[in-house]
């Protein structure tokens, strides 16, 4: 069968709504409750800090994606600048992050759907057999929406996102009518203070809620005028989502009845609010709002899960393009312009993620998913710096100002987010990356560049090992042998060393492949043509 091409059908509105649609998913339904449990009245600072940190990463990827638009760009750029080993490690992380997110979202749908259909859950909130079946069928429905064409997918997402945006706005307006400013002074957060704010970024789902900015990067090969539209879409999506989330947070905290807050404290609210906004509306006697929230509680995460299933297929497609998956997953259906082989694999892996016990509640692995996702962005600032150095004449429609400052800060931001996820997450994620590094070196098929690629990967392997030690010794779930703020200072120092080592380790000649099935541009760089 003839090889198809990815079709450029997504305009600026589509790209922006892909970002907003993936950000306003299960995060808005749960993050206000979980984050206030960590930080109480200081939670607003968490949303602001999270937006700034994600924006730093978004700006770096805006430059990368505008200059070299590629499907699954987060996986392709490390391959271009550092070769197979680093590309494989980030691919493993992307595989974990992208396929698991769709599972998180369908779990959120099921948790709220229990209100209408109690048989979907068990006494402790975990899914019943029927609940598992419902989650799998929902993922299959997302698969069908993505199967036909990217244009159909984009239109459906625009409709769903419009509804998803209206409901939170109505919730904000309604709950501010019950606002009590004194609630923000109430005690009962754990751990509270600055430590609580920092912990909430990953463990409470704040950064998880913002990570949808990557959709414009992942769909770069299917975007109209990507050099202009991708940077604008990234910045618009982050800005819109920040405004919505900060207003939701304060509306939620201010509307909680004082008697409930004084009796349970912030951290105790999660024992009485299983479905935060619906339960809050019930305690306030707002019946119409309960029903509206319950409807949106199914539509919002379902829409986000749909986007992430599509994104996962583009990342798997990119991994196959790097040569790390079978070539069947790098093929594009000629009629629809969809990488259907990669989409099938995304469906299977997403269903598998709903099966482990850790995913039986929304918050089970939210920190791990966030950290795995952040790690897929971690090399981005280094990739951009290598391209700036090795490819100075590359046409950059969006050239990030103050790059020498913003790029290292973006790398520090992503590193801190991984560290703040805590030892319980890092003891799983970082060893997986180290094993993938060693496994690829020992068992992967060697080519003429194998030694060069291993040398170019040493910075990342050492970085993972040192971060693992710091996480164990540190104050975020570790043994607290290194107390705060010294542990954070050490993480920043290690991160800066890794950043400049990583830039220096980049290939002296960066070769950007121009695949036949992707957007073609005219860079003044060394370009190697590769047929699919």
């Amino acid at each position: 069968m003839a090889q198809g091409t990815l079709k450029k059908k997504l305009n600026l509105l589509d790209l922006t709504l892909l970002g907003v649609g993936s950000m306003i998913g299960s995060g808005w339904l749960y993050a206000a409750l979980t984050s206030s449990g960590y930080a109480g009245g200081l939670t607003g600072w968490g949303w602001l800090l999270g937006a700034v940190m994600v924006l730093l990463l978004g700006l770096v990827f805006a430059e990368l994606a505008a200059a070299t638009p590629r499907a699954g760009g987060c996986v392709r750029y490390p391959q271009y600048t550092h070769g197979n080993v680093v590309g494989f490690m980030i691919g493993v992380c992307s595989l974990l992050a992208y396929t698991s997110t769709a599972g998180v979202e369908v779990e959120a749908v099921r948790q709220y759907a229990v209100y209408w259909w109690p048989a979907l859950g068990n006494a402790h909130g975990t899914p019943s057999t029927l609940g598992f079946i419902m989650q799998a069928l929902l993922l299959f429905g997302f698969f069908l929406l993505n199967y036909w064409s990217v244009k159909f997918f984009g239109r459906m997402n625009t409709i769903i996102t419009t509804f998803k945006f209206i409901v939170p706005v109505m919730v904000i307006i309604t709950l501010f009518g019950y606002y009590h400013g004194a609630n923000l002074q109430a005690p009962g957060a754990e751990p509270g203070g600055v430590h609580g704010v920092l912990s909430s970024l990953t463990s409470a789902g704040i950064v998880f809620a913002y990570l949808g900015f990557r959709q414009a990067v992942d769909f770069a090969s299917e975007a109209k005028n990507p050099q202009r539209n991708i940077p604008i879409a990234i910045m618009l999506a982050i800005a819109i989502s920040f405004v919505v989330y900060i207003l939701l947070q304060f509306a939620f905290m201010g509307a909680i009845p004082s008697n409930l807050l004084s009796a349970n404290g912030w951290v105790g609210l999660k024992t009485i609010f299983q479905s935060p906004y619906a339960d809050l509306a019930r305690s306030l006697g707002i019946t119409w709002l309960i029903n509206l929230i319950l409807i949106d509680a199914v539509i919002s995460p379902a829409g986000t899960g749909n986007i992430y299933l599509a994104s996962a297929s583009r990342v798997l497609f990119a991994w196959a393009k790097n040569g790390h998956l079978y070539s069947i997953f790098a093929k594009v259906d000629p009629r629809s312009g969809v990488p259907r082989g990669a989409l099938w694999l995304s469906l299977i892996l997403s269903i598998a993620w709903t099966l482990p016990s850790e995913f039986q509640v929304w918050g089970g692995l939210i920190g791990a998913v966030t950290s795995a996702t952040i790690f897929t962005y971690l090399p981005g600032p280094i990739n951009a710096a290598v391209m700036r150095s090795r490819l100075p004449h590359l046409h950059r429609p969006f050239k990030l100002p103050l790059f020498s400052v913003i790029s290292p800060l973006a790398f520090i931001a992503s590193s801190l987010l991984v560290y703040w996820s805590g030892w319980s997450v890092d003891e799983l994620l970082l060893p997986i990356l180290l094993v993938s590094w060693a496994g690829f070196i020992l068992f992967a098929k060697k080519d003429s560049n194998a030694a060069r690629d291993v040398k170019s990967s040493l910075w990342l392997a050492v970085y993972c090992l040192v971060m693992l030690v710091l996480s164990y010794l540190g104050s975020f779930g570790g043994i607290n042998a290194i107390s705060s703020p010294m542990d954070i200072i050490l993480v920043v120092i290690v991160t800066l060393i890794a950043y400049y080592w990583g830039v220096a380790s980049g290939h002296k000649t960066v070769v950007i492949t121009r695949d036949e099935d992707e957007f073609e541009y005219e860079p003044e760089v060394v370009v190697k043509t590769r047929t699919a």
Side-chain angles (χ1 to χ4, degrees), residues 3-6 69-71 76 80 221 317-318 320-322 330 512-521 527-532:
Q3 169 71 315
T5 59
L6 296 172
R70 286 290 183 269
R76 302 298 293 277
Y80 292 153
S221 289
F317 168 86
K321 281 293 183 185
N322 285 348
I512 300 176
T513 57
R514 179 186 290 162
D515 301 311
E516 288 184 349
D517 53 4
E518 295 201 76
F519 175 84
E520 293 191 7
Y521 59 104
V527 177
K528 179 181 177 182
T529 301
R530 179 176 67 192
T531 57

PDB file of all heavy atoms in Angstrom, residues 3-6 69-71 76 80 221 317-318 320-322 330 512-521 527-532:
ATOM      1  N   GLN A   3       2.481   4.773   0.775  1.00  0.00           N
ATOM      2  CA  GLN A   3       2.670   5.507   2.011  1.00  0.00           C
ATOM      3  C   GLN A   3       1.962   6.844   1.930  1.00  0.00           C
ATOM      4  O   GLN A   3       2.057   7.564   0.933  1.00  0.00           O
ATOM      5  CB  GLN A   3       4.171   5.707   2.256  1.00  0.00           C
ATOM      6  CG  GLN A   3       4.496   6.686   3.374  1.00  0.00           C
ATOM      7  CD  GLN A   3       4.178   6.156   4.753  1.00  0.00           C
ATOM      8  OE1 GLN A   3       3.108   5.580   4.971  1.00  0.00           O
ATOM      9  NE2 GLN A   3       5.071   6.351   5.699  1.00  0.00           N
ATOM     10  N   GLY A   4       1.225   7.192   2.982  1.00  0.00           N
ATOM     11  CA  GLY A   4       0.505   8.452   3.009  1.00  0.00           C
ATOM     12  C   GLY A   4       1.345   9.560   3.616  1.00  0.00           C
ATOM     13  O   GLY A   4       2.487   9.366   4.021  1.00  0.00           O
ATOM     14  N   THR A   5       0.767  10.741   3.692  1.00  0.00           N
ATOM     15  CA  THR A   5       1.443  11.883   4.294  1.00  0.00           C
ATOM     16  C   THR A   5       0.567  12.486   5.376  1.00  0.00           C
ATOM     17  O   THR A   5      -0.658  12.430   5.301  1.00  0.00           O
ATOM     18  CB  THR A   5       1.739  12.968   3.241  1.00  0.00           C
ATOM     19  OG1 THR A   5       0.511  13.398   2.661  1.00  0.00           O
ATOM     20  CG2 THR A   5       2.654  12.441   2.160  1.00  0.00           C
ATOM     21  N   LEU A   6       1.214  13.068   6.375  1.00  0.00           N
ATOM     22  CA  LEU A   6       0.482  13.804   7.398  1.00  0.00           C
ATOM     23  C   LEU A   6      -0.087  15.063   6.755  1.00  0.00           C
ATOM     24  O   LEU A   6       0.617  15.798   6.073  1.00  0.00           O
ATOM     25  CB  LEU A   6       1.418  14.160   8.558  1.00  0.00           C
ATOM     26  CG  LEU A   6       1.992  12.971   9.332  1.00  0.00           C
ATOM     27  CD1 LEU A   6       3.048  13.449  10.323  1.00  0.00           C
ATOM     28  CD2 LEU A   6       0.909  12.199  10.055  1.00  0.00           C
ATOM     29  N   PRO A  69       9.269  21.923  12.507  1.00  0.00           N
ATOM     30  CA  PRO A  69       8.007  21.285  12.897  1.00  0.00           C
ATOM     31  C   PRO A  69       8.023  19.792  12.591  1.00  0.00           C
ATOM     32  O   PRO A  69       8.212  19.394  11.440  1.00  0.00           O
ATOM     33  CB  PRO A  69       6.959  22.021  12.051  1.00  0.00           C
ATOM     34  CG  PRO A  69       7.723  22.586  10.897  1.00  0.00           C
ATOM     35  CD  PRO A  69       9.089  22.875  11.397  1.00  0.00           C
ATOM     36  N   ARG A  70       7.844  18.984  13.625  1.00  0.00           N
ATOM     37  CA  ARG A  70       7.855  17.540  13.479  1.00  0.00           C
ATOM     38  C   ARG A  70       6.783  16.913  14.357  1.00  0.00           C
ATOM     39  O   ARG A  70       6.607  17.334  15.506  1.00  0.00           O
ATOM     40  CB  ARG A  70       9.217  16.956  13.879  1.00  0.00           C
ATOM     41  CG  ARG A  70      10.328  17.198  12.860  1.00  0.00           C
ATOM     42  CD  ARG A  70      10.086  16.381  11.602  1.00  0.00           C
ATOM     43  NE  ARG A  70      11.145  16.528  10.625  1.00  0.00           N
ATOM     44  CZ  ARG A  70      11.155  17.426   9.665  1.00  0.00           C
ATOM     45  NH1 ARG A  70      10.169  18.322   9.574  1.00  0.00           N
ATOM     46  NH2 ARG A  70      12.139  17.471   8.777  1.00  0.00           N
ATOM     47  N   ALA A  71       6.075  15.914  13.824  1.00  0.00           N
ATOM     48  CA  ALA A  71       5.130  15.157  14.645  1.00  0.00           C
ATOM     49  C   ALA A  71       5.905  14.501  15.779  1.00  0.00           C
ATOM     50  O   ALA A  71       6.933  13.867  15.557  1.00  0.00           O
ATOM     51  CB  ALA A  71       4.434  14.093  13.802  1.00  0.00           C
ATOM     52  N   ARG A  76      11.770  13.745  18.692  1.00  0.00           N
ATOM     53  CA  ARG A  76      12.660  13.893  17.529  1.00  0.00           C
ATOM     54  C   ARG A  76      13.865  14.793  17.829  1.00  0.00           C
ATOM     55  O   ARG A  76      14.983  14.506  17.378  1.00  0.00           O
ATOM     56  CB  ARG A  76      11.891  14.473  16.337  1.00  0.00           C
ATOM     57  CG  ARG A  76      10.695  13.666  15.887  1.00  0.00           C
ATOM     58  CD  ARG A  76      11.027  12.276  15.405  1.00  0.00           C
ATOM     59  NE  ARG A  76      11.807  12.254  14.175  1.00  0.00           N
ATOM     60  CZ  ARG A  76      11.269  12.366  12.957  1.00  0.00           C
ATOM     61  NH1 ARG A  76       9.952  12.525  12.819  1.00  0.00           N
ATOM     62  NH2 ARG A  76      12.034  12.316  11.893  1.00  0.00           N
ATOM     63  N   TYR A  80      17.999  14.333  17.051  1.00  0.00           N
ATOM     64  CA  TYR A  80      18.767  15.171  16.131  1.00  0.00           C
ATOM     65  C   TYR A  80      20.078  15.656  16.752  1.00  0.00           C
ATOM     66  O   TYR A  80      21.118  15.679  16.107  1.00  0.00           O
ATOM     67  CB  TYR A  80      17.954  16.386  15.706  1.00  0.00           C
ATOM     68  CG  TYR A  80      16.759  16.088  14.822  1.00  0.00           C
ATOM     69  CD1 TYR A  80      15.652  16.933  14.818  1.00  0.00           C
ATOM     70  CD2 TYR A  80      16.733  14.980  13.985  1.00  0.00           C
ATOM     71  CE1 TYR A  80      14.550  16.684  14.010  1.00  0.00           C
ATOM     72  CE2 TYR A  80      15.637  14.718  13.179  1.00  0.00           C
ATOM     73  CZ  TYR A  80      14.547  15.564  13.199  1.00  0.00           C
ATOM     74  OH  TYR A  80      13.466  15.298  12.391  1.00  0.00           O
ATOM     75  N   SER A 221       3.492  18.772  12.461  1.00  0.00           N
ATOM     76  CA  SER A 221       3.507  18.380  11.056  1.00  0.00           C
ATOM     77  C   SER A 221       2.129  18.458  10.412  1.00  0.00           C
ATOM     78  O   SER A 221       2.003  18.328   9.193  1.00  0.00           O
ATOM     79  CB  SER A 221       4.051  16.952  10.913  1.00  0.00           C
ATOM     80  OG  SER A 221       5.430  16.931  11.190  1.00  0.00           O
ATOM     81  N   PHE A 317       4.717   7.372  16.635  1.00  0.00           N
ATOM     82  CA  PHE A 317       5.111   7.567  15.236  1.00  0.00           C
ATOM     83  C   PHE A 317       6.525   8.165  15.164  1.00  0.00           C
ATOM     84  O   PHE A 317       7.375   7.709  14.388  1.00  0.00           O
ATOM     85  CB  PHE A 317       4.084   8.481  14.562  1.00  0.00           C
ATOM     86  CG  PHE A 317       4.480   9.008  13.216  1.00  0.00           C
ATOM     87  CD1 PHE A 317       4.246   8.267  12.063  1.00  0.00           C
ATOM     88  CD2 PHE A 317       5.081  10.257  13.081  1.00  0.00           C
ATOM     89  CE1 PHE A 317       4.602   8.757  10.812  1.00  0.00           C
ATOM     90  CE2 PHE A 317       5.436  10.756  11.842  1.00  0.00           C
ATOM     91  CZ  PHE A 317       5.192  10.003  10.704  1.00  0.00           C
ATOM     92  N   ALA A 318       6.774   9.181  16.002  1.00  0.00           N
ATOM     93  CA  ALA A 318       8.093   9.825  16.012  1.00  0.00           C
ATOM     94  C   ALA A 318       9.173   8.857  16.493  1.00  0.00           C
ATOM     95  O   ALA A 318      10.297   8.850  15.966  1.00  0.00           O
ATOM     96  CB  ALA A 318       8.055  11.062  16.919  1.00  0.00           C
ATOM     97  N   ALA A 320       9.151   5.655  16.141  1.00  0.00           N
ATOM     98  CA  ALA A 320       9.406   4.751  15.029  1.00  0.00           C
ATOM     99  C   ALA A 320      10.270   5.434  13.964  1.00  0.00           C
ATOM    100  O   ALA A 320      11.140   4.809  13.347  1.00  0.00           O
ATOM    101  CB  ALA A 320       8.086   4.274  14.427  1.00  0.00           C
ATOM    102  N   LYS A 321      10.035   6.719  13.718  1.00  0.00           N
ATOM    103  CA  LYS A 321      10.847   7.467  12.769  1.00  0.00           C
ATOM    104  C   LYS A 321      12.310   7.521  13.222  1.00  0.00           C
ATOM    105  O   LYS A 321      13.234   7.558  12.401  1.00  0.00           O
ATOM    106  CB  LYS A 321      10.314   8.891  12.611  1.00  0.00           C
ATOM    107  CG  LYS A 321       9.096   8.975  11.698  1.00  0.00           C
ATOM    108  CD  LYS A 321       9.473   8.627  10.287  1.00  0.00           C
ATOM    109  CE  LYS A 321       8.299   8.762   9.335  1.00  0.00           C
ATOM    110  NZ  LYS A 321       8.658   8.307   7.984  1.00  0.00           N
ATOM    111  N   ASN A 322      12.521   7.545  14.530  1.00  0.00           N
ATOM    112  CA  ASN A 322      13.878   7.524  15.065  1.00  0.00           C
ATOM    113  C   ASN A 322      14.539   6.157  14.912  1.00  0.00           C
ATOM    114  O   ASN A 322      15.727   5.999  15.182  1.00  0.00           O
ATOM    115  CB  ASN A 322      13.880   7.905  16.547  1.00  0.00           C
ATOM    116  CG  ASN A 322      13.684   9.391  16.765  1.00  0.00           C
ATOM    117  OD1 ASN A 322      13.769  10.181  15.830  1.00  0.00           O
ATOM    118  ND2 ASN A 322      13.422   9.778  18.003  1.00  0.00           N
ATOM    119  N   ALA A 330       5.548   3.716  11.819  1.00  0.00           N
ATOM    120  CA  ALA A 330       5.950   4.983  11.190  1.00  0.00           C
ATOM    121  C   ALA A 330       5.211   5.222   9.885  1.00  0.00           C
ATOM    122  O   ALA A 330       5.500   6.179   9.167  1.00  0.00           O
ATOM    123  CB  ALA A 330       7.455   4.980  10.923  1.00  0.00           C
ATOM    124  N   ILE A 512      19.316  17.094  10.381  1.00  0.00           N
ATOM    125  CA  ILE A 512      17.865  17.078  10.520  1.00  0.00           C
ATOM    126  C   ILE A 512      17.283  16.335   9.336  1.00  0.00           C
ATOM    127  O   ILE A 512      17.413  16.776   8.194  1.00  0.00           O
ATOM    128  CB  ILE A 512      17.288  18.508  10.587  1.00  0.00           C
ATOM    129  CG1 ILE A 512      17.879  19.256  11.783  1.00  0.00           C
ATOM    130  CG2 ILE A 512      15.770  18.469  10.683  1.00  0.00           C
ATOM    131  CD1 ILE A 512      17.442  20.695  11.875  1.00  0.00           C
ATOM    132  N   THR A 513      16.661  15.194   9.602  1.00  0.00           N
ATOM    133  CA  THR A 513      16.081  14.416   8.520  1.00  0.00           C
ATOM    134  C   THR A 513      14.836  15.105   7.991  1.00  0.00           C
ATOM    135  O   THR A 513      14.058  15.688   8.734  1.00  0.00           O
ATOM    136  CB  THR A 513      15.706  13.005   8.990  1.00  0.00           C
ATOM    137  OG1 THR A 513      14.803  13.091  10.086  1.00  0.00           O
ATOM    138  CG2 THR A 513      16.939  12.239   9.395  1.00  0.00           C
ATOM    139  N   ARG A 514      14.664  15.026   6.682  1.00  0.00           N
ATOM    140  CA  ARG A 514      13.454  15.554   6.050  1.00  0.00           C
ATOM    141  C   ARG A 514      12.660  14.357   5.546  1.00  0.00           C
ATOM    142  O   ARG A 514      12.930  13.805   4.492  1.00  0.00           O
ATOM    143  CB  ARG A 514      13.800  16.480   4.889  1.00  0.00           C
ATOM    144  CG  ARG A 514      12.561  17.032   4.184  1.00  0.00           C
ATOM    145  CD  ARG A 514      12.944  17.826   2.951  1.00  0.00           C
ATOM    146  NE  ARG A 514      13.597  19.063   3.334  1.00  0.00           N
ATOM    147  CZ  ARG A 514      14.340  19.785   2.511  1.00  0.00           C
ATOM    148  NH1 ARG A 514      14.568  19.360   1.279  1.00  0.00           N
ATOM    149  NH2 ARG A 514      14.890  20.902   2.918  1.00  0.00           N
ATOM    150  N   ASP A 515      11.694  13.917   6.337  1.00  0.00           N
ATOM    151  CA  ASP A 515      10.915  12.736   5.996  1.00  0.00           C
ATOM    152  C   ASP A 515       9.891  13.079   4.920  1.00  0.00           C
ATOM    153  O   ASP A 515       9.298  14.150   4.910  1.00  0.00           O
ATOM    154  CB  ASP A 515      10.196  12.194   7.235  1.00  0.00           C
ATOM    155  CG  ASP A 515      11.183  11.835   8.334  1.00  0.00           C
ATOM    156  OD1 ASP A 515      12.160  11.145   8.019  1.00  0.00           O
ATOM    157  OD2 ASP A 515      10.976  12.265   9.479  1.00  0.00           O
ATOM    158  N   GLU A 516       9.647  12.137   4.044  1.00  0.00           N
ATOM    159  CA  GLU A 516       8.726  12.374   2.936  1.00  0.00           C
ATOM    160  C   GLU A 516       7.303  12.622   3.396  1.00  0.00           C
ATOM    161  O   GLU A 516       6.510  13.251   2.707  1.00  0.00           O
ATOM    162  CB  GLU A 516       8.740  11.168   1.990  1.00  0.00           C
ATOM    163  CG  GLU A 516      10.027  11.076   1.168  1.00  0.00           C
ATOM    164  CD  GLU A 516       9.962   9.932   0.177  1.00  0.00           C
ATOM    165  OE1 GLU A 516       9.028   9.113   0.271  1.00  0.00           O
ATOM    166  OE2 GLU A 516      10.827   9.867  -0.699  1.00  0.00           O
ATOM    167  N   ASP A 517       6.971  12.109   4.570  1.00  0.00           N
ATOM    168  CA  ASP A 517       5.589  12.205   5.017  1.00  0.00           C
ATOM    169  C   ASP A 517       5.392  13.338   6.011  1.00  0.00           C
ATOM    170  O   ASP A 517       4.439  13.380   6.747  1.00  0.00           O
ATOM    171  CB  ASP A 517       5.136  10.884   5.646  1.00  0.00           C
ATOM    172  CG  ASP A 517       6.071  10.418   6.743  1.00  0.00           C
ATOM    173  OD1 ASP A 517       7.021  11.166   7.049  1.00  0.00           O
ATOM    174  OD2 ASP A 517       5.866   9.311   7.257  1.00  0.00           O
ATOM    175  N   GLU A 518       6.341  14.288   6.071  1.00  0.00           N
ATOM    176  CA  GLU A 518       6.206  15.368   7.023  1.00  0.00           C
ATOM    177  C   GLU A 518       6.366  16.715   6.331  1.00  0.00           C
ATOM    178  O   GLU A 518       6.821  16.818   5.192  1.00  0.00           O
ATOM    179  CB  GLU A 518       7.237  15.222   8.140  1.00  0.00           C
ATOM    180  CG  GLU A 518       6.997  13.972   8.982  1.00  0.00           C
ATOM    181  CD  GLU A 518       7.648  14.086  10.335  1.00  0.00           C
ATOM    182  OE1 GLU A 518       7.100  14.800  11.178  1.00  0.00           O
ATOM    183  OE2 GLU A 518       8.673  13.461  10.545  1.00  0.00           O
ATOM    184  N   PHE A 519       6.004  17.733   7.087  1.00  0.00           N
ATOM    185  CA  PHE A 519       6.107  19.099   6.578  1.00  0.00           C
ATOM    186  C   PHE A 519       7.536  19.394   6.115  1.00  0.00           C
ATOM    187  O   PHE A 519       8.489  19.131   6.833  1.00  0.00           O
ATOM    188  CB  PHE A 519       5.714  20.063   7.699  1.00  0.00           C
ATOM    189  CG  PHE A 519       5.892  21.513   7.333  1.00  0.00           C
ATOM    190  CD1 PHE A 519       4.903  22.162   6.631  1.00  0.00           C
ATOM    191  CD2 PHE A 519       7.024  22.207   7.703  1.00  0.00           C
ATOM    192  CE1 PHE A 519       5.054  23.495   6.296  1.00  0.00           C
ATOM    193  CE2 PHE A 519       7.178  23.531   7.375  1.00  0.00           C
ATOM    194  CZ  PHE A 519       6.184  24.172   6.669  1.00  0.00           C
ATOM    195  N   GLU A 520       7.676  19.929   4.936  1.00  0.00           N
ATOM    196  CA  GLU A 520       9.004  20.249   4.434  1.00  0.00           C
ATOM    197  C   GLU A 520       9.216  21.764   4.472  1.00  0.00           C
ATOM    198  O   GLU A 520       8.350  22.541   4.135  1.00  0.00           O
ATOM    199  CB  GLU A 520       9.174  19.742   2.998  1.00  0.00           C
ATOM    200  CG  GLU A 520       9.172  18.218   2.913  1.00  0.00           C
ATOM    201  CD  GLU A 520       9.607  17.724   1.552  1.00  0.00           C
ATOM    202  OE1 GLU A 520      10.031  18.562   0.739  1.00  0.00           O
ATOM    203  OE2 GLU A 520       9.518  16.516   1.316  1.00  0.00           O
ATOM    204  N   TYR A 521      10.390  22.142   4.927  1.00  0.00           N
ATOM    205  CA  TYR A 521      10.729  23.550   5.004  1.00  0.00           C
ATOM    206  C   TYR A 521      12.073  23.719   4.310  1.00  0.00           C
ATOM    207  O   TYR A 521      12.679  22.762   3.845  1.00  0.00           O
ATOM    208  CB  TYR A 521      10.804  24.017   6.464  1.00  0.00           C
ATOM    209  CG  TYR A 521      11.823  23.261   7.262  1.00  0.00           C
ATOM    210  CD1 TYR A 521      13.050  23.839   7.578  1.00  0.00           C
ATOM    211  CD2 TYR A 521      11.563  21.950   7.672  1.00  0.00           C
ATOM    212  CE1 TYR A 521      13.993  23.121   8.277  1.00  0.00           C
ATOM    213  CE2 TYR A 521      12.516  21.237   8.372  1.00  0.00           C
ATOM    214  CZ  TYR A 521      13.721  21.828   8.678  1.00  0.00           C
ATOM    215  OH  TYR A 521      14.661  21.123   9.370  1.00  0.00           O
ATOM    216  N   VAL A 527      20.821  18.821   5.726  1.00  0.00           N
ATOM    217  CA  VAL A 527      19.580  18.063   5.744  1.00  0.00           C
ATOM    218  C   VAL A 527      19.791  16.733   5.047  1.00  0.00           C
ATOM    219  O   VAL A 527      20.336  16.685   3.948  1.00  0.00           O
ATOM    220  CB  VAL A 527      18.433  18.826   5.048  1.00  0.00           C
ATOM    221  CG1 VAL A 527      17.174  17.977   5.021  1.00  0.00           C
ATOM    222  CG2 VAL A 527      18.151  20.120   5.790  1.00  0.00           C
ATOM    223  N   LYS A 528      19.398  15.684   5.712  1.00  0.00           N
ATOM    224  CA  LYS A 528      19.512  14.348   5.134  1.00  0.00           C
ATOM    225  C   LYS A 528      18.119  13.844   4.810  1.00  0.00           C
ATOM    226  O   LYS A 528      17.243  13.841   5.667  1.00  0.00           O
ATOM    227  CB  LYS A 528      20.206  13.415   6.119  1.00  0.00           C
ATOM    228  CG  LYS A 528      20.340  11.981   5.611  1.00  0.00           C
ATOM    229  CD  LYS A 528      21.013  11.128   6.689  1.00  0.00           C
ATOM    230  CE  LYS A 528      21.098   9.683   6.274  1.00  0.00           C
ATOM    231  NZ  LYS A 528      21.688   8.841   7.320  1.00  0.00           N
ATOM    232  N   THR A 529      17.901  13.418   3.563  1.00  0.00           N
ATOM    233  CA  THR A 529      16.595  12.898   3.170  1.00  0.00           C
ATOM    234  C   THR A 529      16.520  11.422   3.492  1.00  0.00           C
ATOM    235  O   THR A 529      17.433  10.665   3.190  1.00  0.00           O
ATOM    236  CB  THR A 529      16.357  13.102   1.668  1.00  0.00           C
ATOM    237  OG1 THR A 529      16.429  14.496   1.398  1.00  0.00           O
ATOM    238  CG2 THR A 529      14.986  12.583   1.261  1.00  0.00           C
ATOM    239  N   ARG A 530      15.426  11.015   4.131  1.00  0.00           N
ATOM    240  CA  ARG A 530      15.237   9.613   4.465  1.00  0.00           C
ATOM    241  C   ARG A 530      13.881   9.189   3.963  1.00  0.00           C
ATOM    242  O   ARG A 530      12.868   9.787   4.300  1.00  0.00           O
ATOM    243  CB  ARG A 530      15.314   9.391   5.982  1.00  0.00           C
ATOM    244  CG  ARG A 530      15.098   7.935   6.371  1.00  0.00           C
ATOM    245  CD  ARG A 530      15.278   7.755   7.859  1.00  0.00           C
ATOM    246  NE  ARG A 530      14.240   8.442   8.597  1.00  0.00           N
ATOM    247  CZ  ARG A 530      14.293   8.629   9.903  1.00  0.00           C
ATOM    248  NH1 ARG A 530      15.317   8.230  10.585  1.00  0.00           N
ATOM    249  NH2 ARG A 530      13.307   9.240  10.520  1.00  0.00           N
ATOM    250  N   THR A 531      13.831   8.165   3.154  1.00  0.00           N
ATOM    251  CA  THR A 531      12.558   7.642   2.673  1.00  0.00           C
ATOM    252  C   THR A 531      11.970   6.722   3.707  1.00  0.00           C
ATOM    253  O   THR A 531      12.691   6.061   4.446  1.00  0.00           O
ATOM    254  CB  THR A 531      12.750   6.876   1.363  1.00  0.00           C
ATOM    255  OG1 THR A 531      13.699   5.834   1.568  1.00  0.00           O
ATOM    256  CG2 THR A 531      13.226   7.805   0.257  1.00  0.00           C
ATOM    257  N   ALA A 532      10.622   6.712   3.775  1.00  0.00           N
ATOM    258  CA  ALA A 532       9.958   5.896   4.788  1.00  0.00           C
ATOM    259  C   ALA A 532       9.912   4.449   4.337  1.00  0.00           C
ATOM    260  O   ALA A 532       9.911   4.149   3.168  1.00  0.00           O
ATOM    261  CB  ALA A 532       8.547   6.413   5.016  1.00  0.00           C
TER     262      ALA A 532
END
